[in-house]
Amino acid sequence: MTSSDLRRLALSLLVAAACGGGGSSSKPPAPGGPNVVPISVTGTGCSASAYFNEPCVSVTVCVPGTSQCQVVNDVLLDTGSTGLRVFKQALSLPLAQVAAGGGTLGECIAYLDGASQWGPVVSADVVLGGEPAVTVPVHLVDATFATAPSACTGSQTDPTSAGYNAILGLNEWDLDCGEGCVTSATNGYYFACTGSSCAPSVAPATSQVRNPVAALPLDGNGIVVRLPAVPRGGAPSISGELVLGVGTRTNNAAPAGLTAFPLDPPGTTTPGELQTTIAGSTIPSFLDTGSNGIFFPATTAALTTCPSPDTSWFCPASPVTVSATNASTTGSPSAAVSFEIESIQALGRSSGVGNVGGPSVGPSSVDFGLPFFFGRDVYVVVEGRKSTLGTGPVVAY
């Protein structure tokens, strides 16, 4: 098990969305090339009641080896987790459950904001943009499946309360747990369920929820997230691109001038993390489109927290520019970085796009959420995969 999988979905602090179900049996168009998936932040493809800074994509899910498919819209793009997780209410396909210990493999995934998801692991063909279908284990989020373990008490139950139909986790890992779940039954992720009873279980690599990009034949070494800058005062919505592959085609070639940060691999004390020096302290950090703000220790008195009901957010009287330095855990390479924080209440709070943030929750860290990606091309290279930016795990911008 690696800490890279326990990312907080800060979006739950503002969610008040009503989500639609799946769509037709044909794939959505992929403008810009077969390896391009459109991203809409709080716009087309999100629900009508999209929450602030929600990055939405569409994913096609099929019964393996068939043309029986369904397009799932309002899928949260999350570079802080691994694998596709779909609420059962948004998917009507007859997908086979993955076996474990004479029963069915169940999974509990927990996030740093306290949310969790529970349900069986199923086998599905997943289609991203115009790429070929890949058959991977997928987490079907179903709070009624068997008896959830205590770690998943109070888990998310439906798309409306969660704020999205599914999560597409495309971080730097191939599997959502890895070797720890292959060898240890007390991994906290996987359970063998017979009837309503579930017990902790090992999960072979072939059964674990997988990053679907890592299964692609050509573009399987990583992703690029491309979003435009957002002006002061915010915007109703923005559009960008999720480009699959790093240096595998002309549209995902890394330009000169990027800083590539090698990340520590699984089995170390800081897997998948950077080190950020901010306000004189050096603390762990990570890049996470699944969080809808940048969350960090306040660096100035001007970063006051908002009055109720938004006490988890900053509400400065005027925009505040924050400076920091990011580095690999070895200290090299390192690079200065800056970002701006505006008052979420001044920007409208419930819907739209803007540069917002709040104080860290839990252990002191920097969660470089979605606003960090505005105006930057951010590259993520999957562990063990070669790229022009180095062998993963690597992030670059």
Side-chain angles (χ1 to χ4, degrees):
M1 184 189 306
T2 69
S3 63
S4 64
D5 301 306
L6 303 178
R7 295 309 181 210
R8 83 181 261 263
L9 292 179
L11 56 93
S12 65
L13 300 172
L14 283 178
V15 165
C19 303
S24 68
S25 61
S26 61
K27 294 183 293 185
N35 64 326
V36 176
V37 179
I39 302 172
S40 175
V41 182
T42 321
T44 302
C46 300
S47 67
S49 302
Y51 57 83
F52 204 89
N53 283 348
E54 179 187 5
C56 303
V57 297
S58 294
V59 176
T60 300
V61 180
C62 307
V63 176
T66 76
S67 60
Q68 191 174 356
C69 302
Q70 184 177 348
V71 175
V72 181
N73 298 313
D74 200 9
V75 177
L76 173 69
L77 174 63
D78 183 19
T79 60
S81 67
T82 309
L84 180 62
R85 305 176 192 280
V86 187
F87 278 98
K88 71 166 187 175
Q89 295 92 335
L91 198 62
S92 58
L93 298 173
L95 298 174
Q97 296 178 341
V98 173
T104 297
L105 188 66
E107 183 177 28
C108 173
I109 186 77
Y111 301 102
L112 291 183
D113 67 348
S116 62
Q117 294 174 335
W118 164 251
V121 178
V122 298
S123 180
D125 279 359
V126 176
V127 181
L128 303 176
E131 295 277 4
V134 293
T135 305
V136 293
V138 169
H139 190 193
L140 187 65
V141 181
D142 179 3
T144 68
F145 170 72
T147 300
S150 58
C152 271
T153 300
S155 63
Q156 294 175 337
T157 60
D158 59 84
T160 301
S161 59
Y164 46 81
N165 283 328
I167 295 176
L168 178 61
L170 302 182
N171 63 2
E172 61 273 9
W173 308 123
D174 187 338
L175 305 176
D176 71 346
C177 182
E179 185 62 25
C181 287
V182 173
T183 58
S184 173
T186 57
N187 53 68
Y189 279 53
Y190 288 104
F191 300 81
C193 300
T194 304
S196 63
S197 177
C198 298
S201 175
V202 296
T206 53
S207 297
Q208 292 184 33
V209 171
R210 189 181 188 192
N211 180 341
V213 166
L216 293 174
L218 174 62
D219 301 310
N221 65 345
I223 63 169
V224 189
V225 177
R226 290 182 174 146
L227 293 172
V230 176
R232 282 189 177 182
S237 64
I238 60 172
S239 297
E241 295 179 336
L242 166 66
V243 186
L244 309 176
V246 175
T248 58
R249 304 175 190 254
T250 56
N251 66 355
N252 57 26
L258 289 182
T259 302
F261 301 90
L263 305 175
D264 286 352
T268 61
T269 57
T270 55
E273 294 181 343
L274 297 170
Q275 293 294 307
T276 296
T277 301
I278 187 167
S281 298
T282 300
I283 54 179
S285 63
F286 51 93
L287 310 184
D288 182 10
T289 57
S291 292
N292 59 347
I294 300 176
F295 297 90
F296 59 99
T299 57
T300 170
L303 287 170
T304 56
T305 55
C306 301
S308 181
D310 301 314
T311 55
S312 296
W313 297 89
F314 290 132
C315 278
S318 59
V320 172
T321 298
V322 179
S323 298
T325 299
N326 286 339
S328 292
T329 56
T330 59
S332 179
S334 66
V337 66
S338 64
F339 53 91
E340 193 168 81
I341 297 294
E342 294 190 74
S343 165
I344 194 166
Q345 290 189 340
L347 293 181
R349 174 177 190 278
S350 60
S351 181
V353 180
N355 294 295
V356 296
S360 299
V361 174
S364 183
S365 64
V366 181
D367 178 349
F368 285 110
L370 191 70
F372 180 82
F373 292 74
F374 296 159
R376 292 184 173 94
D377 284 6
V378 179
Y379 292 70
V380 180
V381 182
V382 176
E383 61 176 319
R385 305 303 173 84
K386 294 181 179 180
S387 79
T388 53
L389 296 170
T391 300
V394 170
V395 295
Y397 56 85

mmCIF file with all atom_site columns, all heavy atoms in Angstrom, residues 16-40:
data_model
loop_
_atom_site.group_PDB
_atom_site.id
_atom_site.type_symbol
_atom_site.label_atom_id
_atom_site.label_alt_id
_atom_site.label_comp_id
_atom_site.label_asym_id
_atom_site.label_entity_id
_atom_site.label_seq_id
_atom_site.pdbx_PDB_ins_code
_atom_site.Cartn_x
_atom_site.Cartn_y
_atom_site.Cartn_z
_atom_site.occupancy
_atom_site.B_iso_or_equiv
_atom_site.pdbx_formal_charge
_atom_site.auth_seq_id
_atom_site.auth_comp_id
_atom_site.auth_asym_id
_atom_site.auth_atom_id
_atom_site.pdbx_PDB_model_num
ATOM 1   N N   . ALA A 1 16 ? -22.651 20.058 -4.317  1.00 0.00 ? 16 ALA A N   1
ATOM 2   C CA  . ALA A 1 16 ? -24.105 20.090 -4.233  1.00 0.00 ? 16 ALA A CA  1
ATOM 3   C C   . ALA A 1 16 ? -24.632 19.788 -5.625  1.00 0.00 ? 16 ALA A C   1
ATOM 4   O O   . ALA A 1 16 ? -25.407 20.546 -6.191  1.00 0.00 ? 16 ALA A O   1
ATOM 5   C CB  . ALA A 1 16 ? -24.599 21.441 -3.744  1.00 0.00 ? 16 ALA A CB  1
ATOM 6   N N   . ALA A 1 17 ? -24.167 18.678 -6.225  1.00 0.00 ? 17 ALA A N   1
ATOM 7   C CA  . ALA A 1 17 ? -24.424 18.415 -7.641  1.00 0.00 ? 17 ALA A CA  1
ATOM 8   C C   . ALA A 1 17 ? -25.445 17.312 -7.828  1.00 0.00 ? 17 ALA A C   1
ATOM 9   O O   . ALA A 1 17 ? -25.501 16.363 -7.059  1.00 0.00 ? 17 ALA A O   1
ATOM 10  C CB  . ALA A 1 17 ? -23.119 18.030 -8.338  1.00 0.00 ? 17 ALA A CB  1
ATOM 11  N N   . ALA A 1 18 ? -26.253 17.442 -8.875  1.00 0.00 ? 18 ALA A N   1
ATOM 12  C CA  . ALA A 1 18 ? -27.149 16.377 -9.302  1.00 0.00 ? 18 ALA A CA  1
ATOM 13  C C   . ALA A 1 18 ? -26.588 15.812 -10.588 1.00 0.00 ? 18 ALA A C   1
ATOM 14  O O   . ALA A 1 18 ? -26.439 16.526 -11.567 1.00 0.00 ? 18 ALA A O   1
ATOM 15  C CB  . ALA A 1 18 ? -28.552 16.919 -9.530  1.00 0.00 ? 18 ALA A CB  1
ATOM 16  N N   . CYS A 1 19 ? -26.279 14.513 -10.584 1.00 0.00 ? 19 CYS A N   1
ATOM 17  C CA  . CYS A 1 19 ? -25.530 13.934 -11.697 1.00 0.00 ? 19 CYS A CA  1
ATOM 18  C C   . CYS A 1 19 ? -26.426 13.125 -12.599 1.00 0.00 ? 19 CYS A C   1
ATOM 19  O O   . CYS A 1 19 ? -27.327 12.436 -12.147 1.00 0.00 ? 19 CYS A O   1
ATOM 20  C CB  . CYS A 1 19 ? -24.413 13.031 -11.165 1.00 0.00 ? 19 CYS A CB  1
ATOM 21  S SG  . CYS A 1 19 ? -23.299 13.884 -10.061 1.00 0.00 ? 19 CYS A SG  1
ATOM 22  N N   . GLY A 1 20 ? -26.128 13.187 -13.915 1.00 0.00 ? 20 GLY A N   1
ATOM 23  C CA  . GLY A 1 20 ? -26.854 12.389 -14.879 1.00 0.00 ? 20 GLY A CA  1
ATOM 24  C C   . GLY A 1 20 ? -26.251 11.012 -14.999 1.00 0.00 ? 20 GLY A C   1
ATOM 25  O O   . GLY A 1 20 ? -25.160 10.751 -14.516 1.00 0.00 ? 20 GLY A O   1
ATOM 26  N N   . GLY A 1 21 ? -26.950 10.117 -15.684 1.00 0.00 ? 21 GLY A N   1
ATOM 27  C CA  . GLY A 1 21 ? -26.463 8.762  -15.859 1.00 0.00 ? 21 GLY A CA  1
ATOM 28  C C   . GLY A 1 21 ? -25.626 8.633  -17.109 1.00 0.00 ? 21 GLY A C   1
ATOM 29  O O   . GLY A 1 21 ? -25.153 9.607  -17.669 1.00 0.00 ? 21 GLY A O   1
ATOM 30  N N   . GLY A 1 22 ? -25.435 7.384  -17.542 1.00 0.00 ? 22 GLY A N   1
ATOM 31  C CA  . GLY A 1 22 ? -24.630 7.133  -18.716 1.00 0.00 ? 22 GLY A CA  1
ATOM 32  C C   . GLY A 1 22 ? -25.358 7.540  -19.983 1.00 0.00 ? 22 GLY A C   1
ATOM 33  O O   . GLY A 1 22 ? -26.528 7.916  -19.976 1.00 0.00 ? 22 GLY A O   1
ATOM 34  N N   . GLY A 1 23 ? -24.661 7.445  -21.108 1.00 0.00 ? 23 GLY A N   1
ATOM 35  C CA  . GLY A 1 23 ? -25.224 7.906  -22.360 1.00 0.00 ? 23 GLY A CA  1
ATOM 36  C C   . GLY A 1 23 ? -25.380 6.797  -23.369 1.00 0.00 ? 23 GLY A C   1
ATOM 37  O O   . GLY A 1 23 ? -25.790 5.694  -23.046 1.00 0.00 ? 23 GLY A O   1
ATOM 38  N N   . SER A 1 24 ? -25.005 7.095  -24.598 1.00 0.00 ? 24 SER A N   1
ATOM 39  C CA  . SER A 1 24 ? -25.251 6.183  -25.703 1.00 0.00 ? 24 SER A CA  1
ATOM 40  C C   . SER A 1 24 ? -24.208 5.076  -25.759 1.00 0.00 ? 24 SER A C   1
ATOM 41  O O   . SER A 1 24 ? -23.292 5.022  -24.953 1.00 0.00 ? 24 SER A O   1
ATOM 42  C CB  . SER A 1 24 ? -25.231 6.975  -27.010 1.00 0.00 ? 24 SER A CB  1
ATOM 43  O OG  . SER A 1 24 ? -23.920 7.432  -27.259 1.00 0.00 ? 24 SER A OG  1
ATOM 44  N N   . SER A 1 25 ? -24.328 4.218  -26.769 1.00 0.00 ? 25 SER A N   1
ATOM 45  C CA  . SER A 1 25 ? -23.407 3.099  -26.904 1.00 0.00 ? 25 SER A CA  1
ATOM 46  C C   . SER A 1 25 ? -22.225 3.434  -27.812 1.00 0.00 ? 25 SER A C   1
ATOM 47  O O   . SER A 1 25 ? -21.423 2.567  -28.112 1.00 0.00 ? 25 SER A O   1
ATOM 48  C CB  . SER A 1 25 ? -24.138 1.880  -27.464 1.00 0.00 ? 25 SER A CB  1
ATOM 49  O OG  . SER A 1 25 ? -24.666 2.182  -28.738 1.00 0.00 ? 25 SER A OG  1
ATOM 50  N N   . SER A 1 26 ? -22.117 4.681  -28.278 1.00 0.00 ? 26 SER A N   1
ATOM 51  C CA  . SER A 1 26 ? -21.002 5.057  -29.131 1.00 0.00 ? 26 SER A CA  1
ATOM 52  C C   . SER A 1 26 ? -20.018 5.923  -28.368 1.00 0.00 ? 26 SER A C   1
ATOM 53  O O   . SER A 1 26 ? -20.371 6.579  -27.401 1.00 0.00 ? 26 SER A O   1
ATOM 54  C CB  . SER A 1 26 ? -21.502 5.822  -30.358 1.00 0.00 ? 26 SER A CB  1
ATOM 55  O OG  . SER A 1 26 ? -22.157 7.004  -29.957 1.00 0.00 ? 26 SER A OG  1
ATOM 56  N N   . LYS A 1 27 ? -18.762 5.923  -28.843 1.00 0.00 ? 27 LYS A N   1
ATOM 57  C CA  . LYS A 1 27 ? -17.724 6.681  -28.149 1.00 0.00 ? 27 LYS A CA  1
ATOM 58  C C   . LYS A 1 27 ? -17.890 8.171  -28.413 1.00 0.00 ? 27 LYS A C   1
ATOM 59  O O   . LYS A 1 27 ? -18.315 8.575  -29.488 1.00 0.00 ? 27 LYS A O   1
ATOM 60  C CB  . LYS A 1 27 ? -16.340 6.227  -28.615 1.00 0.00 ? 27 LYS A CB  1
ATOM 61  C CG  . LYS A 1 27 ? -15.984 4.812  -28.246 1.00 0.00 ? 27 LYS A CG  1
ATOM 62  C CD  . LYS A 1 27 ? -14.578 4.472  -28.691 1.00 0.00 ? 27 LYS A CD  1
ATOM 63  C CE  . LYS A 1 27 ? -14.465 4.453  -30.201 1.00 0.00 ? 27 LYS A CE  1
ATOM 64  N NZ  . LYS A 1 27 ? -13.127 4.013  -30.631 1.00 0.00 ? 27 LYS A NZ  1
ATOM 65  N N   . PRO A 1 28 ? -17.528 9.025  -27.423 1.00 0.00 ? 28 PRO A N   1
ATOM 66  C CA  . PRO A 1 28 ? -17.562 10.459 -27.663 1.00 0.00 ? 28 PRO A CA  1
ATOM 67  C C   . PRO A 1 28 ? -16.448 10.832 -28.632 1.00 0.00 ? 28 PRO A C   1
ATOM 68  O O   . PRO A 1 28 ? -15.461 10.125 -28.769 1.00 0.00 ? 28 PRO A O   1
ATOM 69  C CB  . PRO A 1 28 ? -17.315 11.049 -26.267 1.00 0.00 ? 28 PRO A CB  1
ATOM 70  C CG  . PRO A 1 28 ? -16.534 9.994  -25.551 1.00 0.00 ? 28 PRO A CG  1
ATOM 71  C CD  . PRO A 1 28 ? -17.052 8.686  -26.080 1.00 0.00 ? 28 PRO A CD  1
ATOM 72  N N   . PRO A 1 29 ? -16.612 11.952 -29.342 1.00 0.00 ? 29 PRO A N   1
ATOM 73  C CA  . PRO A 1 29 ? -15.554 12.359 -30.267 1.00 0.00 ? 29 PRO A CA  1
ATOM 74  C C   . PRO A 1 29 ? -14.284 12.736 -29.531 1.00 0.00 ? 29 PRO A C   1
ATOM 75  O O   . PRO A 1 29 ? -14.316 13.110 -28.363 1.00 0.00 ? 29 PRO A O   1
ATOM 76  C CB  . PRO A 1 29 ? -16.161 13.585 -30.974 1.00 0.00 ? 29 PRO A CB  1
ATOM 77  C CG  . PRO A 1 29 ? -17.172 14.103 -30.000 1.00 0.00 ? 29 PRO A CG  1
ATOM 78  C CD  . PRO A 1 29 ? -17.721 12.897 -29.315 1.00 0.00 ? 29 PRO A CD  1
ATOM 79  N N   . ALA A 1 30 ? -13.155 12.614 -30.201 1.00 0.00 ? 30 ALA A N   1
ATOM 80  C CA  . ALA A 1 30 ? -11.872 12.941 -29.596 1.00 0.00 ? 30 ALA A CA  1
ATOM 81  C C   . ALA A 1 30 ? -11.153 13.973 -30.463 1.00 0.00 ? 30 ALA A C   1
ATOM 82  O O   . ALA A 1 30 ? -10.269 13.637 -31.236 1.00 0.00 ? 30 ALA A O   1
ATOM 83  C CB  . ALA A 1 30 ? -11.012 11.690 -29.440 1.00 0.00 ? 30 ALA A CB  1
ATOM 84  N N   . PRO A 1 31 ? -11.573 15.260 -30.378 1.00 0.00 ? 31 PRO A N   1
ATOM 85  C CA  . PRO A 1 31 ? -10.924 16.275 -31.202 1.00 0.00 ? 31 PRO A CA  1
ATOM 86  C C   . PRO A 1 31 ? -9.451  16.398 -30.842 1.00 0.00 ? 31 PRO A C   1
ATOM 87  O O   . PRO A 1 31 ? -9.050  16.295 -29.702 1.00 0.00 ? 31 PRO A O   1
ATOM 88  C CB  . PRO A 1 31 ? -11.690 17.555 -30.840 1.00 0.00 ? 31 PRO A CB  1
ATOM 89  C CG  . PRO A 1 31 ? -12.279 17.284 -29.492 1.00 0.00 ? 31 PRO A CG  1
ATOM 90  C CD  . PRO A 1 31 ? -12.575 15.821 -29.475 1.00 0.00 ? 31 PRO A CD  1
ATOM 91  N N   . GLY A 1 32 ? -8.611  16.602 -31.880 1.00 0.00 ? 32 GLY A N   1
ATOM 92  C CA  . GLY A 1 32 ? -7.186  16.776 -31.628 1.00 0.00 ? 32 GLY A CA  1
ATOM 93  C C   . GLY A 1 32 ? -6.386  15.509 -31.788 1.00 0.00 ? 32 GLY A C   1
ATOM 94  O O   . GLY A 1 32 ? -5.170  15.544 -31.761 1.00 0.00 ? 32 GLY A O   1
ATOM 95  N N   . GLY A 1 33 ? -7.024  14.383 -31.953 1.00 0.00 ? 33 GLY A N   1
ATOM 96  C CA  . GLY A 1 33 ? -6.300  13.137 -32.121 1.00 0.00 ? 33 GLY A CA  1
ATOM 97  C C   . GLY A 1 33 ? -6.928  12.023 -31.314 1.00 0.00 ? 33 GLY A C   1
ATOM 98  O O   . GLY A 1 33 ? -7.692  12.273 -30.371 1.00 0.00 ? 33 GLY A O   1
ATOM 99  N N   . PRO A 1 34 ? -6.611  10.767 -31.642 1.00 0.00 ? 34 PRO A N   1
ATOM 100 C CA  . PRO A 1 34 ? -7.212  9.642  -30.920 1.00 0.00 ? 34 PRO A CA  1
ATOM 101 C C   . PRO A 1 34 ? -6.788  9.571  -29.463 1.00 0.00 ? 34 PRO A C   1
ATOM 102 O O   . PRO A 1 34 ? -7.463  8.911  -28.664 1.00 0.00 ? 34 PRO A O   1
ATOM 103 C CB  . PRO A 1 34 ? -6.714  8.419  -31.700 1.00 0.00 ? 34 PRO A CB  1
ATOM 104 C CG  . PRO A 1 34 ? -5.465  8.884  -32.373 1.00 0.00 ? 34 PRO A CG  1
ATOM 105 C CD  . PRO A 1 34 ? -5.698  10.323 -32.711 1.00 0.00 ? 34 PRO A CD  1
ATOM 106 N N   . ASN A 1 35 ? -5.673  10.236 -29.111 1.00 0.00 ? 35 ASN A N   1
ATOM 107 C CA  . ASN A 1 35 ? -5.190  10.186 -27.731 1.00 0.00 ? 35 ASN A CA  1
ATOM 108 C C   . ASN A 1 35 ? -5.576  11.419 -26.939 1.00 0.00 ? 35 ASN A C   1
ATOM 109 O O   . ASN A 1 35 ? -4.968  11.710 -25.905 1.00 0.00 ? 35 ASN A O   1
ATOM 110 C CB  . ASN A 1 35 ? -3.668  10.019 -27.714 1.00 0.00 ? 35 ASN A CB  1
ATOM 111 C CG  . ASN A 1 35 ? -2.937  11.216 -28.322 1.00 0.00 ? 35 ASN A CG  1
ATOM 112 O OD1 . ASN A 1 35 ? -3.431  11.844 -29.253 1.00 0.00 ? 35 ASN A OD1 1
ATOM 113 N ND2 . ASN A 1 35 ? -1.748  11.522 -27.801 1.00 0.00 ? 35 ASN A ND2 1
ATOM 114 N N   . VAL A 1 36 ? -6.606  12.139 -27.388 1.00 0.00 ? 36 VAL A N   1
ATOM 115 C CA  . VAL A 1 36 ? -7.047  13.349 -26.697 1.00 0.00 ? 36 VAL A CA  1
ATOM 116 C C   . VAL A 1 36 ? -8.450  13.144 -26.144 1.00 0.00 ? 36 VAL A C   1
ATOM 117 O O   . VAL A 1 36 ? -9.364  12.738 -26.861 1.00 0.00 ? 36 VAL A O   1
ATOM 118 C CB  . VAL A 1 36 ? -7.022  14.572 -27.630 1.00 0.00 ? 36 VAL A CB  1
ATOM 119 C CG1 . VAL A 1 36 ? -7.586  15.805 -26.930 1.00 0.00 ? 36 VAL A CG1 1
ATOM 120 C CG2 . VAL A 1 36 ? -5.595  14.853 -28.101 1.00 0.00 ? 36 VAL A CG2 1
ATOM 121 N N   . VAL A 1 37 ? -8.610  13.420 -24.857 1.00 0.00 ? 37 VAL A N   1
ATOM 122 C CA  . VAL A 1 37 ? -9.911  13.376 -24.191 1.00 0.00 ? 37 VAL A CA  1
ATOM 123 C C   . VAL A 1 37 ? -10.235 14.793 -23.742 1.00 0.00 ? 37 VAL A C   1
ATOM 124 O O   . VAL A 1 37 ? -9.466  15.395 -22.988 1.00 0.00 ? 37 VAL A O   1
ATOM 125 C CB  . VAL A 1 37 ? -9.889  12.426 -22.977 1.00 0.00 ? 37 VAL A CB  1
ATOM 126 C CG1 . VAL A 1 37 ? -11.244 12.419 -22.280 1.00 0.00 ? 37 VAL A CG1 1
ATOM 127 C CG2 . VAL A 1 37 ? -9.491  11.017 -23.397 1.00 0.00 ? 37 VAL A CG2 1
ATOM 128 N N   . PRO A 1 38 ? -11.346 15.379 -24.189 1.00 0.00 ? 38 PRO A N   1
ATOM 129 C CA  . PRO A 1 38 ? -11.685 16.732 -23.758 1.00 0.00 ? 38 PRO A CA  1
ATOM 130 C C   . PRO A 1 38 ? -11.933 16.805 -22.251 1.00 0.00 ? 38 PRO A C   1
ATOM 131 O O   . PRO A 1 38 ? -12.519 15.895 -21.660 1.00 0.00 ? 38 PRO A O   1
ATOM 132 C CB  . PRO A 1 38 ? -12.969 17.042 -24.533 1.00 0.00 ? 38 PRO A CB  1
ATOM 133 C CG  . PRO A 1 38 ? -12.979 16.094 -25.679 1.00 0.00 ? 38 PRO A CG  1
ATOM 134 C CD  . PRO A 1 38 ? -12.307 14.844 -25.173 1.00 0.00 ? 38 PRO A CD  1
ATOM 135 N N   . ILE A 1 39 ? -11.463 17.886 -21.656 1.00 0.00 ? 39 ILE A N   1
ATOM 136 C CA  . ILE A 1 39 ? -11.736 18.187 -20.249 1.00 0.00 ? 39 ILE A CA  1
ATOM 137 C C   . ILE A 1 39 ? -12.630 19.417 -20.199 1.00 0.00 ? 39 ILE A C   1
ATOM 138 O O   . ILE A 1 39 ? -12.359 20.419 -20.869 1.00 0.00 ? 39 ILE A O   1
ATOM 139 C CB  . ILE A 1 39 ? -10.453 18.493 -19.455 1.00 0.00 ? 39 ILE A CB  1
ATOM 140 C CG1 . ILE A 1 39 ? -9.467  17.337 -19.512 1.00 0.00 ? 39 ILE A CG1 1
ATOM 141 C CG2 . ILE A 1 39 ? -10.786 18.821 -17.995 1.00 0.00 ? 39 ILE A CG2 1
ATOM 142 C CD1 . ILE A 1 39 ? -8.105  17.668 -18.894 1.00 0.00 ? 39 ILE A CD1 1
ATOM 143 N N   . SER A 1 40 ? -13.670 19.352 -19.410 1.00 0.00 ? 40 SER A N   1
ATOM 144 C CA  . SER A 1 40 ? -14.517 20.513 -19.154 1.00 0.00 ? 40 SER A CA  1
ATOM 145 C C   . SER A 1 40 ? -14.507 20.777 -17.653 1.00 0.00 ? 40 SER A C   1
ATOM 146 O O   . SER A 1 40 ? -14.812 19.882 -16.867 1.00 0.00 ? 40 SER A O   1
ATOM 147 C CB  . SER A 1 40 ? -15.946 20.257 -19.629 1.00 0.00 ? 40 SER A CB  1
ATOM 148 O OG  . SER A 1 40 ? -16.792 21.337 -19.283 1.00 0.00 ? 40 SER A OG  1
#
